Amino acid sequence: MSRISTLAGAVTCALALVTGSAVAASAAPADQAPGAAAAEAKVDPVAWTPCNPDPSKPDPGVYDCAVYPVPLDYDNPDGEKVGIAMMRRRASDPSKRIGSLFMNPGGPGGSGYMWATTTRFGAEVQSRFDLVGFDPRGVARSNPLKCFKTQEEADAVSGRMVGVPITRAEIDATLDADQDYTDACSKNAGPLIEHMSTINVVRDLDRMRRAVGDAQLTFAGFSYGTLIGSTYANMYPSKVRAIIIDGNVDPALRLSDGMEYDRQRADGFELALDEFLKRCQAAGAPRCAFGEGDTRAKFDGLRDHLRTTPVTLPGGTKVTLSTFTEQVASALYSQAKLAGLAKQLQALYQVVEKPSAPGLMAPKATAAADDANQLAVSVPRALREAPADSPYTGDDSYLAVNCQDKPYPSNDRAFANVARKWEKAAPTFGRYQAFDAPACASWPAPAVDAERFTGPWNRKSANTVMVIGNLYDPATQYKFAQRMQEELGNAVLVSVDSIEHCAVGRSKALNELVTRYLVDQKAPAAGQLLKPDLDPFPAV
């Protein structure tokens, strides 16, 4: 979900993954039990080496990098190893250093390596903690899981997929391409594909916690990272010092019913879209470029037009239902993008409202072409942070984790069958979300065969977990945050009135609570509703 751009010159070394047969996962890992002896077995310390995140600039002299070996298969801890790429920003006040703050930006498949450089946390947190970012197993620099050997092979498959397929031909082509994709994964991904579930990421995290010398874990997880944090709190409840989870999944639902979880995700996008349209109309034009007239009716008209008729812009680019839906979904992730989205929608509305010919832009609307062009750009669902000379730059860890964590039907036609039903309740995002994971139907290592942590979720952690939820989070709707707080055995929920995915760094009031929680272990009072710092449609 979150993606942080790779900076040239970052550490590129990684432990080689030795090829071999994967060991079958056990159904009940021993380290699920609180206080299990294996949880505190000694591990080798991290071998940090000074590094510069951006060699094009002077070395700030506060960063270190490492590749830390962890077992490929925890049922065979002395066997093959996976290298976890780590970066830390050393605490600016070593005399008052508390420990390490580990971070995960979500995804699954999001690279957390460069999060050691994040500014989401204030100066006091940076002075008291080493900020530690890492790429989870199979992600970016940590033995990236790859289903193709070349980009050309990948493009030949992905080019047949339609993001929001409508016709039978589009649906059949997409499902066939998904099958070819999973065939490639089975052929090329190697033994790592058997060990990508979140339970293994959490085991890796606990090893890293011990390897940096921390008696308990301090962690901030965003989006999918909230599943990592909540799983850790229940696998190692006595080892929780402070865990922040922001943009929350519903762990119990996610790990029990992938289809229903995805259906409810579609509802979350619809709620965020509806609130965007309401706030845009309330602000009016010119504060919100799309704010003149009935914004809901205008938007629905655009979407319904695109279901049958793509719109070709003067430069030759074409807005399709897929690119339109992807761009709207992407913009809802960030409050800072909402004003831009409004301009794009208004530009397209002017094109569609009075065209000179079906699907063509009217001359009077050509001035708006630049704004409308963005809606013609396809949004990649996953992009690995690979060196420029990589023969294949795609990311396959998103599905590798989801297909192992989330149980799905083994018949890919089930996804097509629910699409029409879902879009009745979620007209913009129901079909879009229904086609998020058909590949899981034929995934080489599906959830039904995987070693997974499926609860219980209510173990009482040593310290309170801080749950954060935006009221109009598109990707992980607010109900998920409420459920997360209810499901955990020791948690408090703080809410933010914002249309955005995740909230830390977007509200000074929230960041003060975060700082006190991390530094002083002071859990925030329950029931707080905060405001974001910025208005998406400020007065002009």
Side-chain angles (χ1 to χ4, degrees), residues 93-128:
D93 189 348
S95 66
K96 295 183 179 179
R97 178 184 176 276
I98 294 172
S100 299
L101 169 57
F102 288 87
M103 296 167 288
N104 179 274
S111 170
Y113 186 79
M114 293 298 296
W115 271 58
T117 69
T118 186
T119 57
R120 279 180 180 252
F121 301 96
E124 186 175 358
V125 172
Q126 294 183 31
S127 71
R128 305 295 298 276

Side-chain angles (χ1 to χ4, degrees), residues 350-471:
Q350 291 173 3
V351 173
V352 173
E353 183 68 10
K354 294 183 179 180
S356 56
L360 296 179
M361 174 175 277
K364 65 175 289 187
T366 55
D370 289 344
D371 287 328
N373 277 335
Q374 185 62 34
L375 296 173
V377 179
S378 181
V379 178
R381 294 200 177 185
L383 183 64
R384 181 165 61 88
E385 296 187 14
D389 59 351
S390 296
Y392 170 52
T393 59
D395 169 69
D396 301 304
S397 56
Y398 173 79
L399 284 171
V401 176
N402 276 343
C403 294
Q404 282 214 317
D405 278 352
K406 299 162 70 174
Y408 284 104
S410 57
N411 182 352
D412 62 2
R413 298 303 306 186
F415 297 84
N417 292 340
V418 301
R420 179 172 295 182
K421 179 180 179 181
W422 287 11
E423 69 182 351
K424 288 181 180 178
T428 303
F429 297 106
R431 181 172 292 270
Y432 168 78
Q433 193 62 55
F435 282 92
D436 184 62
C440 290
S442 56
W443 193 253
V448 292
D449 299 327
E451 182 181 30
R452 302 181 300 134
F453 182 84
T454 58
W457 299 101
N458 61 353
R459 289 183 173 138
K460 186 174 176 60
S461 55
N463 291 291
T464 303
V465 175
M466 182 175 180
V467 180
I468 301 170
N470 283 331
L471 297 188

